[in-house]
Amino acid sequence: MFTRPVDLEDAAVVECLSDAWGVVVDTIEYQPVGFGSHHWAASDGSRRWFVTVDDLDTRLLDDRDDRAAAFGRLNAALSAARALHVRGRHWVVAPLPTRAGEVVEAIDDRFVCAIYPFVDGRSSSSGHYDSDDERRAVVSRLVELHRTPPSVDATPIVEDHRIPRRDSLQAALADLDRPWRTGPHSDATRLLLAQHRLAVVEVLDRYDDLTDTVRSVSSPVITHGEPHRGNVIMAADGPAVIDWDTTRFAPAERDLWSLIDEDRTIRALYEHSSETRLDDRVLSLYRLSWDLCEIALFIHEFRQPHTHTADTATAWNGLTNHLDPSRWTDTLRPRQRT
């Protein structure tokens, strides 16, 4: 996140690192990077670490969810990443275990912490790869990942195709006739959603139809979930993949759709390298899933009290990008012909 959490002091992060990992830092500095988690760079004078703190409240799937369940999902994802690294997938940048062998430690009942080795290399804030060589190198990593069987003691959560905060999106669709007064972006969000209400309802229906189909045809593998350029560090020995908090046991297409959208030749490369055929319906499902998840999360945020920050500005830009029916034309067209 670009804005540091107002309810968490650096001292609490330092204390957690000391108590759980035995890491006594000399310097710690908030890093306004990424979107979703909070990040710090820490050092003891000779070693460097990258520290991630997650706000469990932002990981709730709906109003019936709770922090314990959110912690469990995050712990399962990062434990799977740790198991991959231990089993020889050293390009998986996995969290370091605590002295008790855990990968996530609670700072309090809301914030949880993980610590990572500092990786030297070229990073990017962009989601798009700078070259064909970079993209193809990541595809090779994905082939290796998808061939890896789950660990007995660290199996990622099975994909359920659930849209986080779909309940908020449904509530918003039913509440478009009166102004929203929760913050600077609230009523602009209402007007944007009202403009595209019919398209959103249609794409939700299409998503549900595809989900029913995909459950009967897909063969799940371990997936990262977001292998875009912003989650890859180009290191001396090849791409190192970070941010494994979205790890799921899911169809391979979950990791491929965005790469194929960048470069159509990636499909043939992956299918040849993995000896696996990708399914157009599953690719379409994940293309829609990306938009719907972002739309639902941003609308939920803007229906809550909020202020002008770098994060809400980024969220507004994200909402206007994803809430664009022109993105769904090809996916919806087969249904319109029936």
Side-chain angles (χ1 to χ4, degrees), residues 25-48:
V25 301
D26 290 335
T27 61
I28 188 166
E29 183 177 2
Y30 188 78
Q31 303 292 296
V33 296
F35 200 73
S37 303
H38 297 281
H39 305 288
W40 281 260
S43 172
D44 67 358
S46 60
R47 294 170 296 175
R48 292 184 293 171

Side-chain angles (χ1 to χ4, degrees), residues 84-103:
L84 287 166
H85 184 89
V86 169
R87 295 168 69 188
R89 307 303 190 252
H90 295 151
W91 50 268
V92 174
V93 183
L96 300 172
T98 67
R99 290 184 288 192
E102 303 296 333
V103 294

Side-chain angles (χ1 to χ4, degrees), residues 216-233:
S216 65
V217 301
S218 62
S219 299
V221 295
I222 299 177
T223 62
H224 176 278
E226 299 179 4
H228 55 69
R229 180 64 180 88
N231 283 337
V232 174
I233 298 173

Side-chain angles (χ1 to χ4, degrees), residues 292-305:
L292 289 172
C293 289
E294 296 293 277
I295 291 168
L297 288 169
F298 291 143
I299 286 177
H300 174 77
E301 178 178 356
F302 290 141
R303 280 171 60 80
Q304 309 300 309

Side-chain angles (χ1 to χ4, degrees), residues 98-152:
T98 67
R99 290 184 288 192
E102 303 296 333
V103 294
V104 184
E105 183 71 17
I107 297 175
D108 55 28
D109 62 351
R110 176 181 168 191
F111 293 104
V112 297
C113 181
I115 182 172
Y116 298 81
F118 189 89
V119 178
D120 285 315
R122 291 186 295 108
S123 58
S124 175
S125 59
S126 169
H128 294 280
Y129 285 90
D130 299 327
S131 69
D132 292 341
D133 288 343
E134 285 185 354
R135 194 180 300 106
R136 287 169 173 264
V138 170
V139 170
S140 295
R141 298 298 201 208
L142 294 176
V143 171
E144 185 179 359
L145 172 66
H146 295 169
R147 286 176 171 168
T148 306
S151 171
V152 172

